[in-house]
Structures are given as C-alpha cells and as structure tokens.
Amino acid sequence: MKILGIESASMTASAAVLEDDHLTAEYTIDYKKTHSQTLLPMIAEIRDMIQLDLDTLDAIAVSGGPGSFTGLRIGSATAKGLGLALDKKLIHVPTLDAMAYQIFGTPGLICALMDARKENVFAGIYRNQEKFEIVKPACHINIHELAALLNQLDEPVILTGDGADAYLMQLREDSRVSLRRAPAFACRARAGAVAALGMIYYKEGRTETAAAHVPDYLRVSQAERQLAEAEQKMAAGSSGDAL
C-alpha cells in the first residue's frame, strides 16, 4: 500500500510517501515561503528522487484542518487536483490528530495546539500509548479555558505545535499539571504523520472522492467575520432610522 501525504495547514509545507510501514520520502520546509511556491515542486522532487509512479498510489492523505485558511485551501486544491487527475481517493486527516500521532508511547496526554491569535488556539487532546485515542477532538478555544480543561483532566501533558511555543509560559502559569514541550522534530505538522494516520483511515474505509473533499476550518475567516459585523451595523442603523 502506498500513500502520498500532504501537509499545509500552518507555516510548514510538507509532502511524504509512505509505503506499507516504510516512510520512503519526506520533504518538509518551515521557512517564509508560500505553499503555492513549495508543495507541487516538493512532490515533484520526491517523485523524481524515489522514481515514484504517481499512478501506483493507493490514495492521497491531506491535512484537512484546522489551520491557516490560505494554507488549507492550497493543500486542498493540490490534493483535489492530483486526486482528479490520477483518479485516486482522498483521505481527510485532521491536522491536530496527525500532529499528536507523531508522539508515541508517552504516559499521560498529548495536547496539539496551533496559535489562532488573541489568546485563542486550535487544540485537540489525545493519548497515544497502546493505541491512538482522541480525548477531545479539535476545537477553537481560549488559552485560559484550555488550561482549565487540562487541570480537570489532571494528567501530565506533552504540548506540540506552534501554539506550544506561543503559549507555553501562559499555560504553565494557569495549569496545575506537568507540562512539557515536544522536541523540535515532533513539534510541527509533518506529512509523514499525515500519511501514516491516513493509511490507518484508508484501511478503515474512511476515504472520500477528490470532488467531495472540503477542509475543516473550525471558524469563519476574518473577511467573513468583518462582513458579518458590517451587515450587523447596517441592520442596526436601519432599525434606528425606522424608529
């Protein structure tokens, strides 16, 4: 079985090929370039380096959110385009699930979190010892509410993701539980983990057509929020005029 993994939900752009239990190739960049500049060239480089015939892929696993609106759209468009061109199924892998899946065999909890700005994060809570377990699915949450939730669960926690860098000190101030940051190689989203978790989902039959794939943003975009606020102000002004 051969899975192509695509990750673009954050600043990291990553592509990988997993063949059965062997990570054949992974190309990851986390440096100031847009994913539209990096993803397809990275996949092409992998294809050439390992002499991969894309027609031999069983499916394409794509990091499906939450995360950056732009990054998710680029990753989704790349996966959908390849899926349609190659007639391959897609596997929607939640971004935070894949991040937590990188950390195996540790006692306690794994909290994957991405910085959503203004003391908010996208967060999911997991265990990954004998098997991968979702304790709390990905959500959009205030950092103080997350700390209260971790206190309630009352177990040691390993933090991973760029939200761990942004809010580690604040979480430590609010939390009564032990908090540790994952090491650098496991503290960012990577396509190898997307492909590995995607292979499990593929075997469970959790696939979708390329046409049906839609990222999970978990919140509306800033442009949509601003439009809604403007419409509310206009509606309030109209009501005042009527009075």
Side-chain angles (χ1 to χ4, degrees):
M1 186 177 297
K2 199 177 295 182
I3 302 290
L4 170 67
I6 296 174
E7 168 58 62
S8 65
S10 63
M11 284 289 294
T12 303
S14 184
V17 174
L18 186 73
E19 189 168 357
D20 296 324
D21 287 330
H22 179 207
L23 184 62
T24 309
E26 185 177 45
Y27 192 158
T28 300
I29 295 290
D30 186 9
Y31 185 78
K32 299 180 183 177
K33 286 193 175 182
T34 64
H35 299 326
S36 59
Q37 294 176 291
T38 53
L39 270 181
L40 283 174
M42 290 162 70
I43 293 169
E45 182 75 11
I46 286 174
R47 178 200 61 198
D48 295 342
M49 288 293 289
I50 65 173
Q51 299 180 330
L52 171 68
D53 180 355
L54 293 175
D55 284 321
T56 65
L57 293 171
D58 289 281
I60 300 165
V62 57
S63 177
S68 155
F69 286 92
T70 302
L72 287 172
R73 285 168 180 155
I74 292 171
S76 174
T78 302
K80 287 165 75 76
L82 288 170
L84 289 168
L86 299 168
D87 192 24
K88 302 296 180 182
K89 290 291 186 70
L90 266 55
I91 310 161
H92 181 125
V93 179
T95 303
L96 296 174
D97 294 15
M99 290 171 63
Y101 191 64
Q102 297 179 82
I103 303 169
F104 177 77
T106 184
L109 301 171
I110 303 160
C111 181
L113 58 161
M114 300 173 69
D115 187 4
R117 311 301 179 194
K118 298 181 180 179
E119 296 194 338
N120 292 297
V121 291
F122 298 114
I125 302 174
Y126 310 85
R127 290 190 183 89
N128 195 12
Q129 296 180 54
E130 297 299 322
K131 64 177 183 178
F132 186 64
E133 176 188 352
I134 300 173
V135 177
K136 181 173 179 57
C139 64
H140 183 246
I141 188 171
N142 178 271
I143 197 68
H144 302 291
E145 294 174 358
L146 176 62
L149 177 58
L150 294 175
N151 286 337
Q152 184 179 354
L153 292 168
D154 196 25
E155 296 183 52
V157 181
I158 292 181
L159 303 171
T160 183
D162 62 10
D165 296 332
Y167 295 111
L168 177 60
M169 296 305 296
Q170 199 161 347
L171 282 170
R172 281 180 170 163
E173 289 176 3
D174 290 353
S175 299
R176 298 189 304 270
V177 298
S178 169
L179 298 174
R180 291 187 295 153
R181 179 189 179 276
F185 64 84
C187 206
R188 289 295 184 272
R190 291 172 56 183
V194 173
L197 197 52
M199 186 168 287
I200 294 173
Y201 293 167
Y202 181 86
K203 291 176 180 177
E204 295 174 350
R206 295 168 59 179
T207 62
E208 59 189 359
T209 65
H213 174 72
V214 178
D216 185 4
Y217 299 109
L218 285 189
R219 64 172 182 174
V220 298
S221 69
Q222 181 177 353
E224 291 170 317
R225 290 196 302 271
Q226 289 173 340
L227 177 60
E229 290 170 1
E231 289 175 344
Q232 287 176 354
K233 289 178 180 177
M234 289 178 64
S238 298
S239 299
D241 293 340
L243 292 173

